[in-house]
Amino acid sequence: MGDKRPRSFYILAAFFAAYVLFLYGPMIAIYILSFQGPDGGLTFPMNGVSLTWFGKVFSGGGIVDIGAAFKRSLALGLVVMVITVVLSVAAGMAFRKPFRGASILFYTAIASLIMPSIITSLGIALEFRLIDDFINKHGADVGLGWLADGYTTAMGLFTSGLGAHLTWTLPFGLLIMFAIFNRFDGRLEEAARDLGATPWQTFRHVVLPIILPSVVGIGLFGFTLSWDELARSSQAIGSVNTLPLELQGLTTTVTKPDIYALGTLTSAVSFVVIFAALSVILMLQARQRRQGSDAGKGMV
Amino acid sequence: MAVTIDNSPDTVAPAESTFRKLTQRSIAWLQAGPMMLVFALFFLLPLVLVVVVSAWDYNEYEMIPAFSFRGYTDTFEGCVANLPELCTILKTYLKTLKLCLLTWGLTLMIGFWVAYFLAFHVRSKTWQIVLSLLCTIPFWTSNVIRMIAWIPLLGRNGLVNQGLQGVGIVNKPIEWLLFSEFSVVLALVHLFTFFMVVPIFNSMIRIDKRLIEAAYDAGASGWQTLVNIVIPLSKPGIVIGSIFVITIVMGDFVTVGVMGGQQIASAGKIIESRLSALQFPAAAANAVILLGITIIIISALTRIVDVRKEL
């Protein structure tokens, strides 16, 4: 510290600032434009300031039923979040012991992460279409007659859609778990074991409190990745749409700022979730610092 | 992955310790099982189905489980007959590769310097966290929103055109700013540079700072240090970031659709349009081709470094 910054620092700092401007500039533009007056268009200059377009979104006037899509995305995001957290923590624990299939699971997760989304999406769509075909053709033969009557499709938000989102969120969850356990001190568990704790007690009272901040992080990833997910949902979600899908549909038809208002609203949800999660993480970390050591507190 | 230290007391009989190992193993299985099941049902099985169905026959409204290469032959229709004129599919793939290459080059350049700045020039840990968060936050906003965000800037009456006309550089709006290859690449760079920054930053932060000091002490210039130390040691990050960006762009159909005004063909868009025509086997055949090309690119990249060690 204190020594003179090289010239490259200032050049790169300017470059970084330009990058941040490039990242945020356009987004800020639409956040501002979503407050256009009633006669305003898709571009600057602003024609008055109003909440007209937010009203349009909520009343559903003109465009699709945003409220329903909003609720669907929210429900799906929450379910994805819970499943991602539970499965990632469980699998993360498993990877600390050698087990057969560990590397298969690991490479599958990586493959799922980098697979072009359209291929995953297409595969899931095919899978459910084949299930539908099977039930329609052979449903009665194999005792699924009750299902075959009036049956349309097995595809849906919480079947194919949920699966599609999990192929995207679980690899992130697993990688975060690796990062956590890479710096986890295993001696803490041994100490618990030596003191007679059962495996479950060890997990509940030693491991979980330590990893909790990062687990909240996994939940954050799970929700926001699902909330904003589009490519994998596109073919695999069935007849209903999530919010990003509605938004994408609107890009080709809408010429009014209500699409910006919708954009601002979904971003707002993302930001609320991010900041809620970050404050929970900070709170947990502060708590850990407070309770992490019982030095000086004497015998209890 | 992890080493378990088995310090069971000597009194434990061998049979009992074998039993413990067995239960340990089955616990691991139980813990990893649910995730395996999800991947098996929603990733591996669908992939197998894509390959299988790609070799099925089809007509206007359904797929027929009979062996046929129609999906492939339809895709490559006219490729041999019209030589040397390129057929649609080859043209589309060349265009996709071009978009991919441009995006990759730009994201790498930007991502490298941003990561370099964060890793080597930002000295306090707090600032490092704050600035990386600043780069991360937009990633948590829907891609579609980040795409349409360019409309008020690049559109016919957008800020850029207004500005250029205002200062008299052009006298009528530039049309190719929006719904063009330019806007597609711009949006892709905007969306995915993040995927380049994170892995490169991760590699750079692990470089032992003493190596760089040693280089300076040995008289290396800043540039020599960069070329001989920083770049080779950040190679894993560069490769991982490249894999992310390339696989995303190769399969992308949303960005190309929205930012290209639904006018630009790409590998992903072929699959999407086949699907909307309900030609599943043809879509699957195209997916298999895309998959093959992606795998070739990835395996070429992973030859460069052993990515496995880095994860």
Side-chain angles (χ1 to χ4, degrees):
Chain A
M1 286 292 153
D3 48 337
K4 210 169 136 264
R5 300 266 194 195
R7 197 164 39 134
S8 61
F9 169 81
Y10 295 100
I11 299 173
L12 284 177
F15 184 77
F16 182 80
Y19 173 65
V20 171
L21 188 71
F22 169 66
L23 272 187
Y24 285 86
M27 286 161 65
I28 291 170
I30 69 154
Y31 299 151
I32 295 173
L33 281 173
S34 58
F35 294 96
Q36 274 277 22
D39 302 320
L42 281 175
T43 51
F44 288 103
M46 298 277 284
N47 200 343
V49 176
S50 75
L51 292 174
T52 320
W53 305 105
F54 289 96
K56 281 252 163 67
V57 168
F58 281 116
S59 67
I63 47 176
V64 280
D65 189 357
I66 294 305
F70 191 92
K71 277 183 211 141
R72 278 196 289 269
S73 274
L74 200 63
L76 183 61
L78 290 174
V79 173
V80 169
M81 178 179 87
V82 172
I83 297 180
T84 305
V85 166
V86 174
L87 297 197
S88 302
V89 171
M93 292 293 288
F95 269 99
R96 305 174 67 207
K97 306 178 266 281
F99 67 98
R100 200 173 302 192
S103 61
I104 295 177
L105 177 56
F106 174 71
Y107 284 114
T108 310
I110 297 296
S112 179
L113 186 64
I114 60 177
M115 179 66 53
S117 303
I118 181 84
I119 299 180
T120 312
S121 191
L122 162 68
I124 294 174
L126 274 174
E127 183 181 48
F128 279 80
R129 185 155 273 262
L130 290 171
I131 293 174
D132 290 349
D133 285 356
F134 179 82
I135 292 178
N136 282 329
K137 279 197 188 117
H138 306 287
D141 309 343
V142 291
L144 289 171
W146 54 273
L147 193 64
D149 293 329
Y151 175 83
T152 50
T153 177
M155 266 195 155
L157 207 56
F158 291 101
T159 53
S160 52
L162 180 63
H165 281 208
L166 287 175
T167 63
W168 179 228
T169 58
L170 286 179
F172 279 97
L174 191 63
L175 288 179
I176 297 174
M177 286 307 294
F178 282 164
I180 299 171
F181 282 131
N182 269 342
R183 40 168 215 251
F184 188 87
D185 190 347
R187 285 173 303 184
L188 294 168
E189 283 169 288
E190 272 170 44
R193 218 180 301 143
D194 290 348
L195 291 170
T198 63
W200 174 251
Q201 283 173 324
T202 311
F203 176 75
R204 171 69 190 79
H205 296 290
V206 177
V207 179
L208 191 60
I210 296 175
I211 66 172
L212 202 55
S214 313
V215 171
V216 175
I218 294 177
L220 167 69
F221 261 90
F223 180 83
T224 46
L225 288 175
S226 163
W227 174 255
D228 291 330
E229 160 54 37
L230 171 66
R232 276 161 210 249
S233 324
S234 64
Q235 314 298 332
I237 211 116
S239 53
V240 294
N241 276 346
T242 56
L243 210 49
L245 278 164
E246 295 285 13
L247 251 172
Q248 190 213 5
L250 290 175
T251 57
T252 49
T253 51
V254 166
T255 52
K256 289 268 156 48
D258 31 10
I259 188 167
Y260 295 159
L262 188 54
T264 305
L265 283 175
T266 52
S267 297
V269 171
S270 294
F271 290 142
V272 167
V273 173
I274 294 171
F275 287 115
L278 284 181
S279 25
V280 171
I281 290 172
L282 288 176
M283 230 168 63
L284 288 170
Q285 280 173 344
R287 186 169 160 265
Q288 256 175 27
R289 270 195 301 277
R290 264 201 326 275
Q291 303 188 338
S293 161
D294 57 2
K297 287 182 190 160
M299 300 274 280
V300 181
Chain B
M1 290 284 150
V3 187
T4 42
I5 305 153
D6 195 359
N7 53 355
S8 38
D10 295 338
T11 47
V12 175
E16 199 179 326
S17 105
T18 322
F19 174 73
R20 233 172 89 182
K21 263 186 200 145
L22 266 176
T23 44
Q24 276 234 335
R25 206 168 284 168
S26 47
I27 287 172
W29 263 91
L30 281 176
Q31 287 170 331
M35 189 181 275
M36 266 185 200
L37 189 70
V38 172
F39 281 128
L41 281 180
F42 296 106
F43 180 65
L44 296 176
L45 181 61
L47 269 190
V48 171
L49 289 176
V50 167
V51 177
V52 170
V53 170
S54 76
W56 279 12
D57 203 357
Y58 61 98
N59 58 30
E60 284 79 31
Y61 51 93
E62 63 172 355
M63 44 187 168
I64 304 158
F67 186 73
S68 155
F69 272 125
R70 237 189 93 194
Y72 293 94
T73 49
D74 279 8
T75 302
F76 288 106
E77 204 186 320
C79 279
V80 182
N82 294 341
L83 283 173
E85 179 81 4
L86 286 178
C87 54
T88 326
I89 177 90
L90 287 180
K91 269 190 203 148
T92 310
Y93 266 93
L94 281 180
K95 173 147 289 177
T96 313
L97 280 174
K98 182 182 154 197
L99 293 176
C100 195
L101 220 62
L102 280 171
T103 309
W104 174 71
L106 288 167
T107 50
L108 180 59
M109 279 310 291
I110 300 172
F112 183 86
W113 290 116
V114 167
Y116 184 87
F117 175 75
L118 288 175
F120 293 113
H121 280 307
V122 180
R123 288 170 190 171
S124 94
K125 193 101 197 159
T126 321
W127 271 105
Q128 244 173 17
I129 294 172
V130 170
L131 293 180
S132 356
L133 262 180
L134 200 65
C135 297
T136 314
I137 286 170
F139 171 70
W140 273 313
T141 302
S142 166
N143 285 356
V144 184
I145 296 163
R146 295 172 67 194
M147 283 175 222
I148 58 170
W150 285 105
I151 295 174
L153 299 185
L154 301 180
R156 219 170 165 279
N157 302 310
L159 276 186
V160 173
N161 269 326
Q162 280 172 15
L164 289 177
Q165 285 176 85
V167 294
I169 294 176
V170 293
N171 48 19
K172 62 176 202 267
I174 306 171
E175 299 283 351
W176 53 261
L177 283 179
L178 195 60
F179 303 142
S180 61
E181 274 177 47
F182 168 78
S183 59
V184 171
V185 173
L186 186 72
L188 286 169
V189 171
H190 187 224
L191 291 172
F192 301 125
T193 304
F194 173 78
F195 281 108
M196 213 44 124
V197 175
V198 174
I200 297 179
F201 176 76
N202 262 334
S203 291
M204 283 179 172
I205 208 82
R206 283 191 223 168
I207 297 176
D208 191 337
K209 296 284 185 296
R210 285 171 302 184
L211 279 174
I212 291 165
E213 274 168 37
Y216 274 113
D217 290 348
S221 67
W223 185 253
Q224 281 172 323
T225 316
L226 181 74
V227 171
N228 294 314
I229 295 181
V230 177
I231 292 181
L233 289 175
S234 351
K235 231 155 94 187
I238 293 175
V239 170
I240 294 172
S242 304
I243 290 177
F244 270 123
V245 170
I246 290 172
T247 48
I248 291 173
V249 178
M250 283 303 287
D252 180 87
F253 61 101
V254 181
T255 318
V256 174
V258 172
M259 295 308 286
Q262 311 295 339
Q263 297 299 311
I264 297 172
S266 76
K269 275 210 74 89
I270 299 183
I271 300 176
E272 199 211 7
S273 58
R274 293 286 188 170
L275 268 173
S276 47
L278 291 180
Q279 297 171 324
F280 283 92
N286 277 291
V288 171
I289 297 165
L290 173 62
L291 188 60
I293 292 176
T294 313
I295 289 174
I296 290 170
I297 297 177
I298 291 176
S299 49
L301 279 171
T302 45
R303 284 269 161 97
I304 305 174
V305 286
D306 187 1
V307 177
R308 226 173 116 176
K309 278 194 298 200
E310 304 301 321
L311 288 164

